[in-house]
Amino acid sequence: MKLLTLRTPAGNKAVRQDGDTLTEIPGFSDVGALLKDPNWETTAKAGNGATHALDGADLAAVVPAPGKIICVGHNYRNHIKEMGREVPEHPTLFAKYAESLIGPNDDLALPQESDTVDWEAELAVVIGKAYRRIPESEAAEHIAGYSVLNDVSMRDYQFRTIQWLQGKTWEKSTPFGTALVTKDEFTVSPLMTSAVDGEVQQSTPTSDLVFTPEYLVSYISTIITLNPGDVIATGTPGGVGHAQDPKRYLQEGQVLVTTIEGLGQLTNRVVKEA
């Protein structure tokens, strides 16, 4: 099942995708709100509200306002190598805030303050059931599904200090969607790519993760309760612009495309912030 958040003149709506048709799930303003219903899967399957064409749909971030967005650094070996680091013993964690999220086809604004804006294609895990201290063997039960996210990073701000937050949670910098694909329809393994103006920059199977989604759910829930709609951005593979020689960053007018086979595609035109 594919679940999306649709922008309509009457406000955001949680919708189910059936082929080329989007069907509203009455009573829920977005997928995050839907996931708070303990019976969300049954509710979503039964939703029979107004319908819309997928073609041309104005989509918001699939979960527009997660309670938490926890990101993982250094989680693909080829990215760890290109950044000159060692494979970590424990996950490297940092946060991102909801204000950084944009829709899967929204324009991506280059901020006035940074000219080192870089791409980071990532597999996003969305939590479906709350719990604390989840055993790794039970972690899959707490995952609602998966989506595509690009952890666009302002490298100059990221490396001003040893803490990365300021370069990682810039306002309206993180495309997220198009859909939440429920876990029964996706197995972590397919190829993830990012491309700038059609030139592939990153291309790595999602199965190359150092720490799996189940391990991350268990590890993070040891620290803090994970709630429905919370998002774990599981890290990016090699091919970021900052590690290239010469370094490359996003420029006004370019188009950034982020794809995971079986999950969907983000297409974001780069514009200069007014």
Side-chain angles (χ1 to χ4, degrees), residues 183-201:
K183 62 187 177 189
D184 59 306
E185 295 190 4
F186 182 80
T187 300
V188 175
S189 183
L191 192 67
M192 175 168 62
T193 63
S194 69
V196 178
D197 284 348
E199 182 182 354
V200 175
Q201 304 295 326

Side-chain angles (χ1 to χ4, degrees), residues 9 29 62 67 71 101 104 107 110 115 143 156 164 177 179 188 190 202 204 218 225 246 269:
S29 59
V62 61
C71 305
L101 298 178
D107 287 347
L110 292 178
D115 56 4
I143 295 173
D156 43 6
W164 299 346
V188 175
Q202 297 175 284
T204 296
S218 179
T225 299
R269 184 171 61 96

Side-chain angles (χ1 to χ4, degrees), residues 26 31 37 42 44 52 55 70 92 95 98 105 108 113 124 134 136 162 166 169 207 218 221 240 247 251-253 271:
V31 172
D37 180 343
T42 301
H52 309 262
D55 185 30
I70 298 175
T92 301
N105 302 307
L108 174 63
E113 297 84 358
I134 303 167
E136 185 177 354
I162 59 173
Q166 58 190 300
T169 191
S207 55
S218 179
S221 71
V240 301
K247 300 180 188 303
Q251 304 296 319
E252 184 177 14
V271 301

